[in-house]
PDB file of all heavy atoms in Angstrom:
ATOM      1  N   THR P  53      -1.257  -0.865  -3.154  1.00  0.00           N
ATOM      2  CA  THR P  53      -1.505  -1.023  -4.556  1.00  0.00           C
ATOM      3  C   THR P  53      -0.437  -1.993  -5.137  1.00  0.00           C
ATOM      4  O   THR P  53       0.645  -2.118  -4.597  1.00  0.00           O
ATOM      5  CB  THR P  53      -1.373   0.321  -5.278  1.00  0.00           C
ATOM      6  OG1 THR P  53      -0.113   0.886  -5.099  1.00  0.00           O
ATOM      7  CG2 THR P  53      -2.443   1.277  -4.856  1.00  0.00           C
ATOM      8  N   SER P  54      -0.824  -2.657  -6.202  1.00  0.00           N
ATOM      9  CA  SER P  54       0.073  -3.591  -6.856  1.00  0.00           C
ATOM     10  C   SER P  54       0.896  -2.825  -7.866  1.00  0.00           C
ATOM     11  O   SER P  54       0.660  -1.656  -8.154  1.00  0.00           O
ATOM     12  CB  SER P  54      -0.708  -4.670  -7.571  1.00  0.00           C
ATOM     13  OG  SER P  54      -1.540  -4.070  -8.525  1.00  0.00           O
ATOM     14  N   GLY P  55       1.936  -3.489  -8.441  1.00  0.00           N
ATOM     15  CA  GLY P  55       2.837  -2.845  -9.347  1.00  0.00           C
ATOM     16  C   GLY P  55       2.223  -2.208 -10.570  1.00  0.00           C
ATOM     17  O   GLY P  55       2.694  -1.207 -11.119  1.00  0.00           O
ATOM     18  N   TYR P  56       1.135  -2.713 -11.060  1.00  0.00           N
ATOM     19  CA  TYR P  56       0.476  -2.245 -12.231  1.00  0.00           C
ATOM     20  C   TYR P  56      -0.673  -1.282 -11.952  1.00  0.00           C
ATOM     21  O   TYR P  56      -1.346  -0.800 -12.891  1.00  0.00           O
ATOM     22  CB  TYR P  56      -0.033  -3.380 -13.100  1.00  0.00           C
ATOM     23  CG  TYR P  56      -1.078  -4.203 -12.494  1.00  0.00           C
ATOM     24  CD1 TYR P  56      -2.444  -3.915 -12.629  1.00  0.00           C
ATOM     25  CD2 TYR P  56      -0.780  -5.317 -11.654  1.00  0.00           C
ATOM     26  CE1 TYR P  56      -3.412  -4.642 -12.033  1.00  0.00           C
ATOM     27  CE2 TYR P  56      -1.745  -6.079 -11.072  1.00  0.00           C
ATOM     28  CZ  TYR P  56      -3.078  -5.721 -11.265  1.00  0.00           C
ATOM     29  OH  TYR P  56      -4.062  -6.459 -10.632  1.00  0.00           O
ATOM     30  N   PHE P  57      -0.916  -0.917 -10.706  1.00  0.00           N
ATOM     31  CA  PHE P  57      -2.065  -0.118 -10.348  1.00  0.00           C
ATOM     32  C   PHE P  57      -2.073   1.234 -11.063  1.00  0.00           C
ATOM     33  O   PHE P  57      -3.098   1.619 -11.615  1.00  0.00           O
ATOM     34  CB  PHE P  57      -2.051   0.125  -8.829  1.00  0.00           C
ATOM     35  CG  PHE P  57      -3.126   1.093  -8.388  1.00  0.00           C
ATOM     36  CD1 PHE P  57      -4.419   0.687  -8.250  1.00  0.00           C
ATOM     37  CD2 PHE P  57      -2.836   2.449  -8.125  1.00  0.00           C
ATOM     38  CE1 PHE P  57      -5.443   1.527  -7.919  1.00  0.00           C
ATOM     39  CE2 PHE P  57      -3.830   3.309  -7.778  1.00  0.00           C
ATOM     40  CZ  PHE P  57      -5.148   2.874  -7.642  1.00  0.00           C
ATOM     41  N   TYR P  58      -0.960   1.906 -11.142  1.00  0.00           N
ATOM     42  CA  TYR P  58      -1.019   3.253 -11.735  1.00  0.00           C
ATOM     43  C   TYR P  58      -1.267   3.220 -13.239  1.00  0.00           C
ATOM     44  O   TYR P  58      -1.941   4.074 -13.791  1.00  0.00           O
ATOM     45  CB  TYR P  58       0.302   3.981 -11.380  1.00  0.00           C
ATOM     46  CG  TYR P  58       0.448   4.209  -9.879  1.00  0.00           C
ATOM     47  CD1 TYR P  58       1.185   3.370  -9.111  1.00  0.00           C
ATOM     48  CD2 TYR P  58      -0.296   5.222  -9.264  1.00  0.00           C
ATOM     49  CE1 TYR P  58       1.254   3.517  -7.703  1.00  0.00           C
ATOM     50  CE2 TYR P  58      -0.257   5.387  -7.912  1.00  0.00           C
ATOM     51  CZ  TYR P  58       0.525   4.558  -7.106  1.00  0.00           C
ATOM     52  OH  TYR P  58       0.566   4.722  -5.780  1.00  0.00           O
ATOM     53  N   GLN P  59      -0.756   2.226 -13.906  1.00  0.00           N
ATOM     54  CA  GLN P  59      -1.036   2.097 -15.339  1.00  0.00           C
ATOM     55  C   GLN P  59      -2.514   1.785 -15.531  1.00  0.00           C
ATOM     56  O   GLN P  59      -3.192   2.331 -16.417  1.00  0.00           O
ATOM     57  CB  GLN P  59      -0.203   0.971 -16.025  1.00  0.00           C
ATOM     58  CG  GLN P  59       1.208   1.312 -16.138  1.00  0.00           C
ATOM     59  CD  GLN P  59       2.039   0.703 -15.050  1.00  0.00           C
ATOM     60  OE1 GLN P  59       1.536   0.218 -14.032  1.00  0.00           O
ATOM     61  NE2 GLN P  59       3.371   0.687 -15.229  1.00  0.00           N
ATOM     62  N   TYR P  60      -3.054   0.909 -14.658  1.00  0.00           N
ATOM     63  CA  TYR P  60      -4.476   0.559 -14.744  1.00  0.00           C
ATOM     64  C   TYR P  60      -5.352   1.762 -14.484  1.00  0.00           C
ATOM     65  O   TYR P  60      -6.343   2.047 -15.178  1.00  0.00           O
ATOM     66  CB  TYR P  60      -4.782  -0.583 -13.755  1.00  0.00           C
ATOM     67  CG  TYR P  60      -6.244  -0.928 -13.628  1.00  0.00           C
ATOM     68  CD1 TYR P  60      -6.873  -1.601 -14.732  1.00  0.00           C
ATOM     69  CD2 TYR P  60      -6.944  -0.617 -12.524  1.00  0.00           C
ATOM     70  CE1 TYR P  60      -8.232  -1.930 -14.599  1.00  0.00           C
ATOM     71  CE2 TYR P  60      -8.299  -0.951 -12.412  1.00  0.00           C
ATOM     72  CZ  TYR P  60      -8.923  -1.616 -13.491  1.00  0.00           C
ATOM     73  OH  TYR P  60     -10.251  -1.908 -13.375  1.00  0.00           O
ATOM     74  N   MET P 104       0.663 -11.201  -3.407  1.00  0.00           N
ATOM     75  CA  MET P 104       0.004 -10.365  -4.402  1.00  0.00           C
ATOM     76  C   MET P 104      -0.394 -11.213  -5.642  1.00  0.00           C
ATOM     77  O   MET P 104      -1.461 -11.040  -6.245  1.00  0.00           O
ATOM     78  CB  MET P 104       0.874  -9.201  -4.808  1.00  0.00           C
ATOM     79  CG  MET P 104       0.983  -8.070  -3.785  1.00  0.00           C
ATOM     80  SD  MET P 104      -0.593  -7.338  -3.377  1.00  0.00           S
ATOM     81  CE  MET P 104      -1.055  -6.607  -4.944  1.00  0.00           C
ATOM     82  N   ARG P 108      -4.133 -11.750  -7.030  1.00  0.00           N
ATOM     83  CA  ARG P 108      -4.495 -11.477  -8.449  1.00  0.00           C
ATOM     84  C   ARG P 108      -5.201 -12.687  -9.047  1.00  0.00           C
ATOM     85  O   ARG P 108      -6.207 -12.533  -9.726  1.00  0.00           O
ATOM     86  CB  ARG P 108      -3.224 -11.077  -9.241  1.00  0.00           C
ATOM     87  CG  ARG P 108      -3.522 -10.495 -10.556  1.00  0.00           C
ATOM     88  CD  ARG P 108      -2.295  -9.946 -11.243  1.00  0.00           C
ATOM     89  NE  ARG P 108      -1.635  -8.886 -10.473  1.00  0.00           N
ATOM     90  CZ  ARG P 108      -0.460  -8.984  -9.921  1.00  0.00           C
ATOM     91  NH1 ARG P 108       0.308 -10.020 -10.068  1.00  0.00           N
ATOM     92  NH2 ARG P 108       0.043  -7.984  -9.237  1.00  0.00           N
TER      93      ARG P 108
END
Side-chain angles (χ1 to χ4, degrees):
T53 60
S54 61
Y56 63 91
F57 174 79
Y58 296 99
Q59 290 98 346
Y60 175 70
M104 287 298 297
R108 192 173 299 116

